[in-house]
Amino acid sequence: SKSRLQLQPRFWPRRVRRKMPTVVGLIARAAEWQPVLPVLVLAALLTALAYYQAVIVAWAQRAVADRLSGAGWTNLGSADGTKCYAASCEALAARVCGSLKSGGNVLSVGCGRGEELKWLARTYGARLVTGVDAAADPEDADRANEDPQILLLKGDAADAFELAGAGHGAVVAVDCAYHFLDFGGFLRAAFRALAPGGVLRVSHVCWTAPPSVATFLLMKALGVAPASSAAALRGALRKAGFDDVVVEPLAGILEPWGLGLGGRVAYVVASARRPAGAP
């Protein structure tokens, strides 16, 4: 029939026939690569995951927090016996921030959606609490910024200090520093952002034993970069110019999540101070 004749190459338009050798060549080339095609697909998926990892992790954290009725909190929480996720998150913030000095300005990097900022203002009586978070959306900012003591801005750790300026009495990073791509750069910027005598309080995770392959891959998938050790974390703080450096373990943070870390990773809180006479 005519329709069948039209399917034969000699009846195709000339421009299509001219492309045929190229098309046939590409098909042959694809057939040659067929044994390694799964590897190429996996490599492409891993590349995409690495590129969008921060976005994926932030979305997952927000989704989990919403599922647990986090009411604006997005941290791991502290296993203090409470069954309320928001109260557990507040307990972790209290353990990380410790006894910050009342008054002055506070900068929270990776602050979540605004609830942490309200808690900081209420607990420490700060004149102004500025928060910077990469996942903050306009609705979060509008809601948080109704309070004149609070300023919530969208940005990542690299943007935080440019957005928030300097002269802060305290800089805190609750349950987020292990996601920072340049933790050393964060420490140097935090030092410059603090007023002389200002305090840094930050939680992190550290390797306590060589990781298994499964643990290493899990950390990579979650976008977590543990410090090589608690001693290395102390050294990084001193190298950035801080004194009064203390790094302490916090129990009951990782364990409830059942990540199967096998005791190879410890959750820690670090505190340090910018010397009063520092330039």
Side-chain angles (χ1 to χ4, degrees), residues 11-23:
F11 291 102
W12 295 354
R14 184 177 299 174
R15 64 179 182 275
V16 174
R17 280 181 284 158
R18 281 201 301 264
K19 296 289 185 182
M20 280 300 294
T22 302
V23 173

Side-chain angles (χ1 to χ4, degrees), residues 149-168:
Q149 281 183 278
I150 291 172
L151 177 61
L152 175 58
L153 304 168
K154 182 178 178 64
D156 60 21
D159 303 324
F161 302 100
E162 182 177 346
L163 291 170
H168 302 280

Side-chain angles (χ1 to χ4, degrees), residues 10-162:
R10 69 176 183 273
F11 291 102
W12 295 354
R14 184 177 299 174
R15 64 179 182 275
V16 174
R17 280 181 284 158
R18 281 201 301 264
K19 296 289 185 182
M20 280 300 294
T22 302
V23 173
V24 172
L26 290 173
I27 293 173
R29 184 70 58 85
E32 293 174 4
W33 282 88
Q34 187 175 3
V36 296
L37 193 58
V39 176
L40 295 176
V41 171
L42 179 60
L45 289 174
L46 290 175
T47 301
L49 176 62
Y51 186 79
Y52 291 107
Q53 188 178 54
V55 175
I56 294 169
V57 169
W59 173 85
Q61 286 176 329
R62 185 165 185 144
V64 170
D66 287 344
R67 181 78 175 175
L68 296 172
S69 300
W73 290 93
T74 54
N75 69 45
L76 288 175
S78 176
D80 56 356
T82 181
K83 294 183 179 180
C84 173
Y85 174 68
S88 179
C89 290
E90 185 174 315
L92 176 57
R95 294 178 72 183
V96 173
C97 294
S99 55
L100 288 179
K101 190 175 180 181
S102 298
N105 295 341
V106 176
L107 169 61
S108 176
V109 181
C111 62
R113 299 161 60 186
E115 199 62 30
E116 180 183 305
L117 305 182
K118 298 176 186 177
W119 176 83
L120 285 166
R122 184 172 65 247
T123 304
Y124 297 104
R127 287 197 301 269
L128 176 66
V129 179
T130 302
V132 181
D133 194 281
D137 60 30
E139 290 182 4
D140 296 330
D142 290 343
R143 187 165 49 249
N145 295 342
E146 290 176 357
D147 188 329
Q149 281 183 278
I150 291 172
L151 177 61
L152 175 58
L153 304 168
K154 182 178 178 64
D156 60 21
D159 303 324
F161 302 100
E162 182 177 346

Side-chain angles (χ1 to χ4, degrees), residues 200-228:
L200 172 69
R201 301 279 298 190
V202 55
S203 58
H204 210 313
V205 291
C206 300
W207 293 115
T208 56
S212 64
V213 173
T215 304
F216 179 80
L217 292 177
L218 177 63
M219 294 294 101
K220 285 293 184 182
L222 294 175
V224 174
S228 58

